């Protein structure tokens, strides 16, 4: 049951409840139990759950060098934003296998430390450990998020030529993402059309997102249409296309896309962010009014915004794409500051000890305005802030993000 629940991110809490029930009725967990529940902790909004299970594993009679449990713990710490403890545990392991190395390579890649990921991959090859197809997904992702196109192409070719691994859709998606982020949109389109698999929504979504960044509207429309053929009920391509139109002021096209969404009864997934404090998870939504400290949070956020505006912060009013004469320019300007991730960060700054790192989770991609604002907040408050969105970790310190503003 624990294993079944842990397969689904939204059921991670049920896996933890089942694990607690096992302990309550007197069944002591074995290594398989720990691997499954640790996997569930990786998806939990509360990082403290994983630490508690780790403590329990140390106290159990399971040998401390049981590699499967240690691999799960390394993955858990990395996925919970604690890359330091993930690496420390990795270094203390008495033995490593390909899963151990894959886990840490992926952790570095997800946190934006692409160079570290590639160095560890080189070490893996030097030690004679044969990489798996999963290894190359993490390696290609690291290349994609650091703009290392030549290295990415080399590793993509290496898969088949040196290790006999046939590239799978996930590997092609990484290559499409890599080319798209670097602005090589025509090359990315050619790869999509020539690959031996259906590119699926991931490939077209990567291309669509890059079209906004590089302002290619014609290709964006094509990518959105291809995306919709695969998942006609997914609101994401509509939202992305509307944002692209809004960037260039094509308000009639924005209205047309939004009307299509209304006619098809599609709604954008509501965004929320969360932060753990004293083993309690606090959840925020945009323009939140439900948190018991919301008045203090807004007041404090207002003070911080004054400071970061002096440092150069300008709210991104492009986020509010629908042209509405009823909305004044002042209201438009300040609307972005009440996004959920900014509220969660403000709560963390208010409630946590000076100098204590802040970790915020987000159920969507972090928006560009929040990314820019939080970088400046980290600088003016001298605080390390990490935001975990649906794709990666943004580890922000002294006004700089580990993603290098590469997305």
């Amino acid at each position: 049951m624990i294993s079944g629940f842990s397969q689904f991110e939204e059921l991670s809490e049920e896996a933890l409840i089942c694990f607690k029930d096992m302990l309550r009725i007197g069944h002591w967990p074995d290594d398989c139990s720990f691997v499954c529940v640790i996997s569930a902790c990786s998806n939990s909004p509360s990082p403290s759950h994983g630490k508690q299970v780790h403590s329990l594993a140390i106290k159990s009679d399971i040998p401390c060098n049981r590699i499967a449990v240690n691999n799960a713990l390394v993955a858990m710490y990395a996925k919970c934003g604690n890359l330091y403890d993930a690496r420390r545990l990795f270094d203390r392991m008495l033995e490593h296998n390909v899963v151990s190395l894959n886990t840490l390579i992926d952790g570095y890649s997800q946190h934006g430390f692409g160079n570290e990921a590639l160095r560890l991959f080189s070490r893996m090859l030097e030690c004679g450990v044969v990489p798996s197809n999963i290894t190359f997904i993490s390696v290609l992702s690291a290349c994609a998020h650091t703009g290392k196109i030549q290295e990415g192409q080399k590793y993509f070719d290496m898969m088949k030529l040196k290790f006999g691994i046939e590239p799978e859709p996930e590997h092609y998606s990484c290559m499409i993402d890599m080319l798209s982020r670097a602005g090589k949109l025509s090359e990315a389109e050619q790869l999509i059309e020539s690959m031996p698999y259906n590119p699926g929504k991931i490939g077209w979504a990567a291309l669509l997102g890059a079209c906004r960044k590089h302002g290619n509207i014609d290709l964006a429309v094509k990518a959105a249409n291809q995306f919709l053929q695969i998942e006609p009920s997914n609101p994401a391509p509509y939202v992305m296309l509307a944002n692209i139109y809004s960037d260039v002021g094509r308000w009639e096209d924005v209205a047309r896309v939004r009307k299509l969404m209304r006619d098809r009864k599609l709604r954008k997934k509501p965004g929320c962010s969360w932060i753990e404090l004293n083993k309690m998870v606090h959840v925020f939504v945009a323009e939140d009014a439900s948190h018991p400290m919301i008045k203090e949070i807004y007041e404090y956020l207002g003070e911080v915004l004054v400071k970061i505006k002096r440092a150069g912060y300008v709210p991104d009013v492009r986020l509010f794409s629908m042209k509405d004469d009823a909305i004044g320019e002042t209201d438009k300007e300040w609307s972005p500051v009440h996004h959920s991730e900014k509220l969660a960060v403000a709560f963390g700054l208010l409630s946590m000890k000076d100098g204590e790192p802040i970790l915020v989770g987000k159920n969507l991609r972090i928006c560009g305005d929040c990314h820019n604002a939080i970088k400046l907040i980290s600088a003016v408050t001298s605080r390390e802030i990490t935001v975990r969105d649906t794709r990666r970790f943004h580890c922000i310190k002294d006004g700089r993000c580990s993603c290098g503003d590469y997305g």
Side-chain angles (χ1 to χ4, degrees), residues 325-353:
D325 295 333
I327 299 177
E329 287 303 315
T330 301
D331 293 332
K332 279 185 178 182
E333 178 184 0
W334 287 100
S335 293
V337 304
H338 295 159
H339 281 186
S340 62
E341 50 266 62
K342 292 191 185 77
L343 296 176
V345 167
F347 172 73
L349 290 168
L350 262 176
S351 307
M352 299 171 71
K353 297 177 181 178

Side-chain angles (χ1 to χ4, degrees), residues 15-29:
L16 290 168
I17 291 171
C18 194
F19 182 76
K20 292 175 182 177
D21 288 342
M22 171 192 285
L23 298 176
R24 180 176 52 81
I25 62 177
H27 292 298
W28 191 254

Side-chain angles (χ1 to χ4, degrees), residues 102 104-121 134-153 155 170-171 173-175 177-178 181 391-392 402-404 406-407:
N102 285 351
L104 196 56
I105 290 171
D106 184 62
Y108 279 128
S109 175
Q110 292 299 312
H111 282 76
F113 301 109
N115 291 329
E116 290 293 333
L118 297 180
R119 273 195 286 269
L120 189 57
F121 178 62
I134 295 174
T135 311
F136 282 102
I137 292 174
S138 299
V139 168
L140 292 175
S141 178
C143 293
H145 287 280
T146 51
K148 296 182 182 297
I149 299 175
Q150 292 182 345
E151 291 89 339
Q153 188 63 60
Y155 295 134
E170 292 81 3
H171 302 104
S173 294
C174 289
M175 294 297 292
D177 189 30
M178 180 181 70
R181 288 176 181 275
R391 289 287 298 277
R392 61 191 296 99
S402 62
C403 75
Y406 205 67

Side-chain angles (χ1 to χ4, degrees), residues 21-169:
D21 288 342
M22 171 192 285
L23 298 176
R24 180 176 52 81
I25 62 177
H27 292 298
W28 191 254
D30 59 10
D31 56 344
C32 181
S33 309
F34 278 113
V35 168
C36 294
V37 76
I38 291 168
S39 175
C41 291
S42 300
N43 296 319
S44 172
S46 173
S48 62
H49 286 156
K51 291 184 178 180
Q52 292 170 6
V53 174
H54 187 184
S55 297
L56 188 62
I58 292 173
K59 296 173 184 177
S60 73
D61 57 357
I62 295 175
C64 62
N65 63 342
R66 192 64 61 89
I67 193 167
V69 176
N70 283 330
N71 286 343
L73 287 167
V74 171
M76 182 273 295
Y77 279 116
K79 290 180 180 179
C80 289
N82 193 341
L83 195 56
Y84 173 79
D85 282 343
R87 181 60 195 244
R88 186 171 64 169
L89 179 58
F90 177 87
D91 289 338
R92 289 179 176 178
M93 291 172 62
L94 300 180
E95 61 174 323
H96 300 118
N97 59 14
V98 66
V99 176
S100 316
L101 291 156
N102 285 351
T103 300
L104 196 56
I105 290 171
D106 184 62
Y108 279 128
S109 175
Q110 292 299 312
H111 282 76
F113 301 109
N115 291 329
E116 290 293 333
L118 297 180
R119 273 195 286 269
L120 189 57
F121 178 62
S122 296
R123 172 183 162 186
M124 179 180 187
L125 297 180
E126 291 170 2
C127 294
V129 179
V130 178
S132 66
N133 61 340
I134 295 174
T135 311
F136 282 102
I137 292 174
S138 299
V139 168
L140 292 175
S141 178
C143 293
H145 287 280
T146 51
K148 296 182 182 297
I149 299 175
Q150 292 182 345
E151 291 89 339
Q153 188 63 60
K154 180 183 74 173
Y155 295 134
F156 185 75
D157 295 338
M158 180 190 293
M159 288 176 57
K160 185 173 182 179
L161 296 177
K162 186 172 182 179
F163 297 103
I165 300 174
E166 288 289 342
E168 297 179 0

Side-chain angles (χ1 to χ4, degrees), residues 372-391:
N372 292 333
I374 294 172
K375 285 198 302 178
L376 289 171
I377 290 173
S378 78
V380 300
T381 61
S382 300
R383 192 72 71 97
E384 184 176 340
I385 303 171
T386 299
V387 179
R388 175 190 182 184
D389 67 15
T390 53
R391 289 287 298 277

Side-chain angles (χ1 to χ4, degrees), residues 144-309:
H145 287 280
T146 51
K148 296 182 182 297
I149 299 175
Q150 292 182 345
E151 291 89 339
Q153 188 63 60
K154 180 183 74 173
Y155 295 134
F156 185 75
D157 295 338
M158 180 190 293
M159 288 176 57
K160 185 173 182 179
L161 296 177
K162 186 172 182 179
F163 297 103
I165 300 174
E166 288 289 342
E168 297 179 0
E170 292 81 3
H171 302 104
Y172 279 100
S173 294
C174 289
M175 294 297 292
I176 294 165
D177 189 30
M178 180 181 70
L179 293 169
S180 299
R181 288 176 181 275
K184 297 183 177 295
L185 302 183
S186 59
E187 290 91 332
E189 183 183 12
Q190 291 172 10
L191 181 58
I192 288 176
E193 293 176 346
S194 64
M195 61 187 285
Y197 302 99
N198 186 322
K201 67 175 184 179
I202 297 177
W204 289 114
L207 186 58
L208 181 55
C211 286
R212 182 184 188 188
K213 178 180 178 181
H214 298 286
N216 191 325
I217 295 178
D218 292 336
L219 187 55
V221 173
K222 177 180 178 179
N225 288 332
Q226 292 291 338
F227 194 153
L228 289 172
Q229 287 183 20
I230 300 168
E231 290 194 7
S233 61
N234 190 331
Y238 294 95
V239 174
M240 295 171 75
L241 190 57
N243 287 336
I244 292 171
Y245 283 136
S246 71
D247 288 345
V248 293
R250 290 174 55 170
W251 305 113
E252 291 183 359
D253 289 319
V254 173
R256 177 177 55 81
V257 173
R258 290 189 173 186
K259 184 177 184 301
L260 277 174
M261 291 184 67
R262 289 194 299 271
D263 292 344
R264 298 175 183 180
K265 295 180 172 56
L266 300 176
R267 296 187 64 183
K268 179 182 177 182
K269 183 179 180 180
C272 70
S273 299
W274 57 89
I275 182 172
E276 184 182 31
L277 179 67
N278 298 327
K279 299 182 181 180
M280 180 180 293
V281 177
H282 298 257
V283 182
F284 297 88
V285 297
E287 306 292 337
D288 204 314
S290 61
H291 195 277
M293 287 180 59
I294 199 63
K295 182 179 179 180
E296 294 93 326
I297 292 170
Y298 279 130
E299 289 177 355
Y300 181 79
L301 183 57
E303 295 172 4
V304 173
L305 288 167
V306 171
K307 294 179 181 179
I308 65 173
K309 288 195 78 175

